[in-house]
Structures are given as structure tokens and as C-alpha cells.
Amino acid sequence: MNPKPTADELVHLVHRYHPAGLLNEDPRYDASEEGQRLTALVHAHVTPSPAWTGFIQQLRETFPNSHLWDTTVPYHDPCYSVRVSLPGFKPGGPRDDCVVALLSQLAPVYALYASHTDKSLPGADYWLRFPPFPPEFQSHEARLAGLIESTFGFTRLSNDILLTPVPDLVPRTANWEVGKAQLIDCLFTWHRW
């Protein structure tokens, strides 16, 4: 496993890929050195790497009673992502509980969060949680973390690092004003579901 980077090191890194002080709709965003660097990186990962393809197959074998979604969005965000359902998931059913993994293409780091949806009650119950996870998610969390670390050697980022503000950046695909971004948005994706 790689040494754990500090929040300051990661903030410095994301500034190499996201231009400071520019909205992503500004033509200068993509034309900037940082924007061009990010575009080149994202385009280099449009075709999944053999390691990612092998990892998805490994997940199928490790979680045979789970549904898997490779939620990577080519051409958009600098990360690979996958959702692994907890046992009992039924497509179209009212309940969807998953552990979601985000693996950065900018640095050898990853993040996990728990996702819950229950549409069986009026108003639907929906939440996302960063660690600590509820007990029923912890077995999947531990196995998924172990596979990421043994396959890629990536380091898991703590909540404190993930939620570090990067107020002068706007992620490439987020429709935000300057001031909302956190490291998780710039290293991986702003979109969490």
C-alpha cells in the first residue's frame, strides 16, 4: 500500500488538474493548462484498464450474491467507480443498499461510502454515509477495501481528508459556483448516489 498522502498534498495535486477561480462553463476552464491536463487524463482512461476489468471480475467472484454496477462515467470524472449491493437486492425492488467504491485516476487513493434507498414507505428513505458504516454494511466494506488495497495498492482516505474544502476550484462536471468543492469532488466525482 502507498503511504497516506496528506490533505495539503492532495489539495496541491488537484490544483494541477482543475483551474483555480474558474467555473467549468468558462471557455478558459478547458483551455487552461490544468483543464487540458485533466482532459488528457480522463481520455486516457476512457477504455477501462486491464487492472480495472480484472478487478470487476474479482468482485463478481468475491460477492456472488450481490449485484454490481460499474458506475464509471468515461470522458467525465477522474475516477473509476463501482456499486456493490448488499445481499437481498432485487432489481426493481423497493430497497437498494450498496457500498460504493471510488478509485482516483489522479492519485493512488480511494474512498468508500454506504448508500441506502428504501421506497417501500411513502416519501422514500434515502441516505449516504461515510464511515463508520451501519453494521449491516461493514462486512462488504471490509472485503471491498481489502480487494482494492491488495489489487491496486491504493490508500483509503479518511473522512477528514475527503471533506477538506478546496474553495477555489469547481469540479469539471459539477454545475457549481466557486466555493463548494471538497477533495472528494476533485479527486473522484461530485456525483454520489
Side-chain angles (χ1 to χ4, degrees), residues 9-20 32-39 106 169:
E9 290 168 336
L10 292 170
V11 166
H12 179 74
L13 173 71
V14 297
H15 276 89
R16 294 191 66 234
Y17 292 92
H18 301 275
S32 70
E33 181 181 327
E34 297 87 355
Q36 289 179 14
R37 190 176 291 124
L38 181 58
T39 296
L106 300 176
L169 300 184

Side-chain angles (χ1 to χ4, degrees), residues 122-172:
D125 181 29
Y126 172 76
W127 52 255
L128 299 176
R129 294 217 178 114
F130 290 96
F133 288 175
E136 64 271 21
F137 288 79
Q138 291 176 4
S139 172
H140 267 46
E141 172 191 18
R143 287 190 289 158
L144 190 52
L147 278 174
I148 292 168
E149 291 169 14
S150 67
T151 302
F152 298 102
F154 282 19
T155 300
R156 186 172 178 179
L157 296 180
S158 68
N159 295 350
D160 289 346
I161 291 178
L162 289 172
L163 304 178
T164 298
V166 191
D168 60 338
L169 300 184
V170 174
R172 176 185 168 125

